[in-house]
Amino acid sequence: MHTLFVTVDAGGNLPPALGVAREIVRRGGTARFLGHEPQRAAVERAGFRFTAVHDGLAYDAAAPRSTLSGLRDLTAVFADRGIGADAIRLAREEPTDVVIVDCLLLGALDTVRQAGLPTVSLVHTLFSFFEGEARGPVGAILRLRGIRMRPILSAPELSLVTVRADFEPPRRTPFPASVRHVGPVWQDPPRAAEPAPGRPRVLVSLSTTRFPGQERALQRILDAVSGLDLDAVVTTGPSIDPATLRAPANATVHRHLDHAQVMPTASLVIGHGGHSTTARALAYGIPLLVLPMHPLMDQTAIGRALDRHGAGRMLSRTAGVGTIRAAVTDLLADGPHRAAAARLGTDIRLADGAATAVDLLETTYEHTRPATSTPPSD
């Protein structure tokens, strides 16, 4: 199977796409990526060809923005049809059996599908979150930009949701038949965490996308763990300069550090509720403390799912130092949250969502080949 992935610089949306692409290549297919320039290094490091958007809007998720400008810029990218035009051009330059489009890129998703190319939506968080957003302020802004979320999201023949189905909130009606929950895509070899003896290790990582107030929230977390009998490993990503933070003696702060170096021996993860980091921690059986960084993102919904499963706790991003400290102390202790996280981890490690996703791709599109490419003229 020859595939083109169309992605957006939004942080945790990239690991599931890379995981599915690896599985396609493992089975003898090909995968290449179209996205925003800040994604190039991660995609090429993973071994895939990368093309930056040309007709589409440029975007850098780590650039500082206010709440208003962030919403404006994000919805512009979500509605951008230029990325779809780029995808159509690339798909016709060489054999392409299916174009797999990030669900956030609604304009591209609609443009590619209407061009007649086999089009799959890759949904890297709760599908129900987008159903709700269609009725909220993001949906209203997108309608002003000519994008109607619900019809576009329901149009693809296949929507691959890289989330556990039981993370979705209870609902009265089933999802459309095209929506298939494949489960989390493994980012690391499947194994349970084995905390080192002695002081517990805590991983602290907020979003790689920059949100207003994120630096202040991270500083309160650092102040909260100060003096506790633990070792904190903090990663800031491109959004926050480690030099701007006051780190206590029991914390080390890194701009970039692969979480695979920390999670296998971690006892707790403190994050913002992004599904990528959350699923990665749960795959190890590690409970989480979640402080959502943006009220209009999926982070609160992920925090609520953790609460329902009993595998973590959610606090406000403005939670005080004392509140965070008490939650960290409680979550590091033995209790039902540890057993719940361990149960989820065992279940997640049974099957890689990437393998399930590619099974569905092969089943759905085995009759659409040969590839939808335009041969070069003589």
Side-chain angles (χ1 to χ4, degrees):
M1 177 172 285
H2 302 294
T3 57
L4 171 64
F5 285 77
V6 185
T7 185
V8 54
D9 185 27
N13 64 314
L14 188 57
L18 293 175
V20 174
R22 288 189 192 98
E23 180 64 15
I24 289 169
V25 171
R26 190 188 71 80
R27 299 188 189 192
T30 63
R32 54 202 168 107
F33 280 75
L34 167 69
H36 293 104
E37 186 61 40
Q39 298 177 285
R40 179 184 295 276
V43 173
E44 292 183 345
R45 188 165 55 245
F48 300 105
R49 282 187 293 152
F50 178 84
T51 302
V53 297
H54 180 270
D55 293 338
L57 295 173
Y59 185 71
D60 182 354
R65 295 177 177 87
S66 66
T67 300
L68 183 60
S69 65
L71 187 59
R72 178 199 65 206
D73 292 351
L74 269 177
T75 53
V77 172
F78 294 170
D80 183 18
R81 293 183 179 274
I83 301 176
D86 288 332
I88 292 167
R89 172 176 52 80
L90 289 177
R92 289 175 173 165
E93 285 179 355
E94 59 186 82
T96 305
D97 297 309
V98 61
V99 183
I100 303 174
V101 184
D102 190 295
C103 63
L104 296 176
L105 294 174
L106 295 158
L109 188 64
D110 191 46
T111 300
V112 173
R113 188 189 64 80
Q114 290 200 31
L117 297 174
T119 308
V120 167
S121 174
L122 185 62
V123 184
H124 39 79
T125 189
L126 308 174
F127 192 86
S128 57
F129 169 75
F130 294 104
E131 294 177 320
E133 283 297 288
R135 300 187 294 270
V138 172
I141 295 171
L142 286 172
R143 285 193 294 275
L144 293 175
R145 295 185 181 275
I147 295 293
R148 300 184 66 83
M149 288 185 69
R150 289 183 74 98
I152 293 174
L153 285 170
S154 62
E157 186 177 10
L158 181 62
S159 293
L160 300 171
V161 186
T162 61
V163 176
R164 291 173 58 91
D166 60 3
F167 260 52
E168 302 278 5
R171 55 191 294 122
R172 295 180 179 178
T173 58
F175 288 105
S178 60
V179 175
R180 305 297 297 271
H181 288 78
V182 301
V185 172
W186 294 346
Q187 297 184 52
D188 308 310
R191 57 176 289 196
E194 298 179 3
R199 287 159 62 97
R201 201 177 194 194
V202 176
L203 172 63
V204 181
S205 182
L206 303 184
S207 180
T208 54
T209 298
R210 191 181 185 98
F211 295 115
Q214 187 164 307
E215 187 172 331
R216 294 191 296 274
L218 185 52
Q219 185 60 62
R220 285 193 295 274
I221 293 170
L222 284 168
D223 293 342
V225 301
S226 177
L228 294 179
D229 186 24
L230 58 83
D231 292 314
V233 180
V234 183
T235 62
T236 66
S239 300
I240 298 174
D241 183 353
T244 65
L245 299 169
R246 300 184 310 276
N250 62 339
T252 57
V253 182
H254 310 263
R255 189 152 214 164
H256 300 286
L257 180 69
D258 189 344
H259 290 172
Q261 298 181 39
V262 185
M263 284 193 184
T265 57
S267 297
L268 177 67
V269 171
I270 303 176
H272 67 295
H275 183 261
S276 179
T277 300
T278 301
R280 193 174 191 180
L282 289 176
Y284 283 101
I286 305 170
L288 294 102
L289 174 60
V290 166
L291 289 78
M293 290 292 111
H294 198 289
L296 296 180
M297 301 298 175
D298 61 337
Q299 301 153 14
T300 299
I302 296 297
R304 288 172 180 157
L306 277 173
D307 277 341
R308 287 197 304 274
H309 281 274
R313 188 176 304 177
M314 181 169 62
L315 297 176
S316 166
R317 68 171 181 158
T318 60
V321 170
T323 301
I324 298 172
R325 184 190 297 263
V328 169
T329 301
D330 289 347
L331 289 171
L332 282 174
D334 290 333
H337 57 283
R338 293 212 162 270
R343 284 195 299 270
L344 284 171
T346 299
D347 201 30
I348 290 170
R349 294 192 298 272
L350 291 176
D352 185 0
T356 306
V358 179
D359 287 344
L360 286 167
L361 286 170
E362 291 178 342
T363 300
T364 303
Y365 292 102
E366 63 182 353
H367 301 302
T368 65
R369 305 164 90 173
T372 57
S373 63
T374 300
S377 57
D378 294 332

